[in-house]
Amino acid sequence: MARVPVIGLASAAVFFVLDQLVKRLVVGPWGLTEEGMEREVTSFFLLRNVHNHGVSLGFLQMGPDKAWVLIALTGAIAVAVVVWMWRETARADQVALGMIAGGALGNILDRVRLGYVQDYANLHFGTWEPFLNFNLADAAITIGVLVLLARALLTREKPRDTRADVEISDA
């Protein structure tokens, strides 16, 4: 029986809660109540209320009446990530998978509750915007994927000889 991936589930919960908290702060106490409203935080970062009817980076734009398609797609991916997390033994990979799952669940809740994903972060350098508007869930998903890719490409586990009675020599 597989062990419960406590660190991965905790990571998912933390990113889910933080994502929802920041989204509520943006459209509540921080006063960006209408789509398109914005507030400059620094010379290169502003908060902008954006209703995203697509997936990450605005791809696959669909109207609110088709939100269920993206809910189903994102839900299937989230389930696959959690199954992977349950089978994963490396703690760093469990945390990365938790980031992905928590971010996905945060965006799914937005779609179910609002019919769109609440985006608010805008990173820009002058008029150059290297990213479209995003949110903490998007950042968690992206960072989680990058961690998994980096670990897959840059780390190698040492092969283990499962035969306890065999001695390995360089003869």
Side-chain angles (χ1 to χ4, degrees), residues 44-106:
F44 58 88
F45 183 78
L46 61 88
L47 296 173
R48 179 185 294 149
N49 184 334
V50 174
H51 299 173
N52 183 353
H53 294 281
V55 295
S56 295
L57 301 176
F59 293 118
L60 293 176
Q61 287 292 317
M62 295 185 185
D65 58 324
K66 299 231 168 119
W68 65 270
V69 173
L70 294 177
I71 292 169
L73 178 65
T74 311
I77 292 168
V79 167
V81 166
V82 171
V83 168
W84 180 2
M85 181 195 313
W86 223 274
R87 294 177 178 180
E88 184 58 57
T89 57
R91 293 171 63 91
D93 289 349
Q94 284 184 9
V95 170
L97 291 164
M99 292 173 75
I100 296 166
L105 292 174

Side-chain angles (χ1 to χ4, degrees), residues 2-154:
R3 291 185 354 198
V4 175
V6 174
I7 189 89
L9 295 174
S11 172
V14 165
F15 282 97
F16 173 78
V17 168
L18 284 175
D19 171 65
Q20 291 298 302
L21 176 65
V22 174
K23 287 173 180 173
R24 302 234 179 185
L25 287 171
V26 167
V27 298
W30 294 346
L32 302 177
T33 56
E34 300 294 323
E35 185 174 20
M37 291 179 74
E38 57 186 49
R39 177 177 299 164
E40 188 169 3
V41 177
T42 68
S43 63
F44 58 88
F45 183 78
L46 61 88
L47 296 173
R48 179 185 294 149
N49 184 334
V50 174
H51 299 173
N52 183 353
H53 294 281
V55 295
S56 295
L57 301 176
F59 293 118
L60 293 176
Q61 287 292 317
M62 295 185 185
D65 58 324
K66 299 231 168 119
W68 65 270
V69 173
L70 294 177
I71 292 169
L73 178 65
T74 311
I77 292 168
V79 167
V81 166
V82 171
V83 168
W84 180 2
M85 181 195 313
W86 223 274
R87 294 177 178 180
E88 184 58 57
T89 57
R91 293 171 63 91
D93 289 349
Q94 284 184 9
V95 170
L97 291 164
M99 292 173 75
I100 296 166
L105 292 174
N107 284 343
I108 289 170
L109 180 59
D110 282 6
R111 284 193 201 289
V112 169
R113 198 170 57 83
L114 305 169
Y116 57 85
V117 172
Q118 179 65 60
D119 285 343
Y120 53 82
N122 180 281
L123 181 65
H124 62 278
F125 303 98
T127 59
W128 182 56
E129 295 181 6
F131 310 104
L132 294 178
N133 293 287
F134 60 98
N135 59 42
L136 183 72
D138 298 335
I141 292 166
T142 301
I143 292 168
V145 167
L146 291 174
V147 167
L148 290 174
L149 284 172
R151 287 186 43 78
L153 295 172
L154 303 175

